[in-house]
Amino acid sequence: MDSSSEQMAELRELAGSRDVLAVVAVRMRIVLWSAEGPRRKDIAELAGAAPLTRSSPRSDSPRPA
């Protein structure tokens, strides 16, 4: 993800705002963490998400008939 430092600063400010729904703030934090470069597993842990029991198929992969 390629974002300007101004955009990232605005996102940080909004993520900490009481005027933003909690679910939206978590998504903003996920975007911020992703920009910092940690693994998806680590980001999920930071966000408090439960680990997946299996990987879901990619949307561009062929579906079984």
Side-chain angles (χ1 to χ4, degrees), residues 19-55:
D19 296 332
V20 175
L21 294 173
V23 68
V24 175
V26 169
R27 287 181 178 259
M28 290 178 182
R29 287 185 197 100
I30 290 170
V31 170
L32 290 165
W33 292 325
S34 295
E36 293 172 3
R39 296 178 308 171
R40 289 174 56 187
K41 177 182 171 185
D42 296 332
I43 292 171
E45 189 175 309
L46 287 169
L52 293 174
T53 56
R54 67 181 184 95
S55 295

